Amino acid sequence: MIAQAVGVAAASEHIRPFLPHRDLADLATLIEAAFGPELAATGSHLVQDLRQMAMLGPLLRGPNRLMSPFYGFVWTENGELVGNVSLSPEREDRAVWSVTNVAVMPEHRGRGIASQLMDRAIALARARRVRRLILQVRPDNGIAVALYRRCGFVTLDTVHELRLHKHQWPLVVGGPVARSDPASTLRAPRAADHAEIRALLARLATVGGQPVSGRQSTHHPWVWGAYRLLHYAVTAEQTFEVVACPAGRPVAYAFAQTNSLRGPHEAALYVAPQHRGHYEAALWEWLLARLRRAVPQHVHTTLSVSHPEALTAAWDLGFRTVRVLDQMALDLQPGRDPACKGMAYLRTAG
């Protein structure tokens, strides 16, 4: 008991809440030291974005909840930021929080800093009555995986992050469509399809929240349509959607959202289990044919290993896996939500 009390007291001297106006630049340095090669491999601009935001200085003052995803705790020693854990509520379900940027400077590792930061983050989530914490971690990062398992996280899915390089697109995408071709059943969604698409996404959801298409959290098709128009008017970024309807009802759905700046374009694909193996290639080709109209960028997607047909179709078109991630979750109020709602797009915790 005495040793435990001493440990808590020692941690309290080093752990404090993250302050965006004060810590952003140091956080960028920490993330670069902890995840540099991984960020380079995935083409992430996180470090540059953090440093640009840090230039706002005093303008970043205010409640941390307004600065998501920079809500969390840091570990400092002699005025230096040496450890961090970030927390952010998921847009689709505010009772689900993502844990990200669990990082410790290399020279300070092996001292239990990450463990104590995680303990503080979990305690805060419990106090705020968060239902679930979610995170992603590379399965080959044994130290991080062991830490999260000790905290009570369990692995719910494994996903591949894939990229199609902007200079490696297939020369020909799509072609003449025969009546028997699965592509003959593809079309743009109609307003009447909205409820069916939402039901399909709910059935196929994976870890922690909802797919990023926005349809899953939009109950009325006109709201979704208005959002798309407003987003295009503000950013010039387009959203392309397609459904497969062999018998008049959607059994597969895919979308792509363009990025007019640094990229990449984002894409996702969902197929009902009983129809897998028939539509994946046609859906990918439909999306790529539309994305050819946009500014040339890489195309990014995340696919579960539970959908090998989608992975194979993506690989055949030139997508390459840039990293494999385990999606993990900790249910803080397990009795309230036995179902595993999904979030296919999560930031990496460690």
Side-chain angles (χ1 to χ4, degrees):
M1 292 293 292
I2 294 176
Q4 183 178 13
V6 171
V8 171
S12 66
E13 295 178 0
H14 297 288
I15 298 178
R16 62 167 174 79
F18 178 85
L19 302 173
H21 66 279
R22 176 177 174 181
D23 298 325
L24 267 179
D26 291 337
L27 176 61
T29 299
L30 171 61
I31 291 177
E32 187 174 36
F35 305 119
E38 188 171 351
L39 295 175
T42 59
S44 172
H45 300 284
L46 176 60
V47 171
Q48 298 94 310
D49 292 342
L50 290 176
R51 287 186 172 139
Q52 288 179 357
M53 289 185 65
M55 296 174 66
L56 296 175
L59 296 178
L60 298 173
R61 289 181 180 273
N64 277 342
R65 71 183 64 184
L66 300 179
M67 288 304 302
S68 174
F70 308 117
Y71 181 56
F73 297 97
V74 296
W75 183 289
T76 62
E77 292 189 5
N78 300 319
E80 179 187 3
L81 192 155
V82 302
N84 177 80
V85 58
S86 298
L87 297 162
S88 59
E90 288 298 314
R91 184 184 63 180
E92 307 293 349
D93 188 344
R94 306 296 287 186
V96 176
W97 284 13
S98 288
V99 180
T100 61
N101 303 329
V102 181
V104 177
M105 282 293 190
E107 62 270 23
H108 292 275
R109 292 173 185 170
R111 297 168 44 201
I113 292 175
S115 179
Q116 293 179 74
L117 286 168
M118 283 296 298
D119 288 344
R120 185 66 64 89
I122 292 171
L124 174 65
R126 291 188 188 278
R128 296 295 178 88
R129 302 187 64 81
V130 173
R131 186 179 72 250
R132 166 175 288 179
L133 291 175
I134 56 176
L135 57 81
Q136 289 192 146
V137 60
R138 298 192 325 274
D140 61 352
N141 188 346
I143 294 176
V145 172
L147 166 62
Y148 301 140
R149 287 178 177 166
R150 285 198 300 272
C151 291
F153 284 82
V154 296
T155 301
L156 299 180
D157 198 6
T158 300
V159 299
H160 283 243
E161 281 193 2
L162 301 105
R163 180 198 291 176
L164 178 61
H165 195 280
K166 62 182 178 182
H167 298 307
Q168 295 175 339
W169 283 41
L171 295 178
V172 178
V173 176
V177 177
R179 216 176 262 276
S180 60
D181 193 318
S184 65
T185 69
L186 302 187
R187 60 171 172 78
R190 301 165 183 161
D193 299 323
H194 185 72
E196 294 283 349
I197 294 172
R198 292 182 72 250
L200 175 65
L201 294 177
R203 290 195 301 271
L204 299 179
T206 52
V207 180
Q210 302 297 337
V212 298
S213 73
R215 277 189 178 269
Q216 187 60 11
S217 61
T218 306
H219 291 278
H220 301 288
W222 65 267
V223 174
W224 173 235
Y227 167 80
R228 289 179 57 190
L229 287 174
L230 179 61
H231 183 79
Y232 177 71
V234 173
T235 67
E237 295 173 357
Q238 294 178 275
T239 300
F240 301 107
E241 297 180 285
V242 60
V243 290
C245 301
R249 299 178 61 182
V251 300
Y253 167 75
F255 78 92
Q257 183 167 312
T258 66
N259 191 315
S260 58
L261 299 176
R262 290 184 293 183
H265 303 317
E266 294 286 346
L269 183 151
Y270 307 90
V271 181
Q274 64 271 31
H275 294 278
R276 289 180 177 176
H278 300 287
Y279 298 102
E280 288 81 1
L283 289 167
W284 280 128
E285 291 198 2
W286 193 99
L287 291 179
L288 292 180
R290 271 66 186 177
L291 286 174
R292 280 194 185 279
R293 308 170 185 171
V295 176
Q297 299 281 16
H298 307 316
V299 182
H300 173 269
T301 189
T302 302
L303 296 172
S304 170
V305 297
S306 66
H307 194 174
E309 299 88 350
L311 279 167
T312 298
W315 286 329
D316 288 345
L317 283 170
F319 282 86
R320 294 294 177 261
T321 297
V322 293
R323 61 177 176 175
V324 178
L325 297 167
D326 281 344
Q327 296 185 333
M328 306 183 75
L330 171 62
D331 284 323
L332 302 177
Q333 302 177 40
R336 290 184 54 190
D337 186 20
C340 217
K341 290 185 177 181
M343 170 52 97
Y345 299 88
L346 307 177
R347 294 174 293 276
T348 303

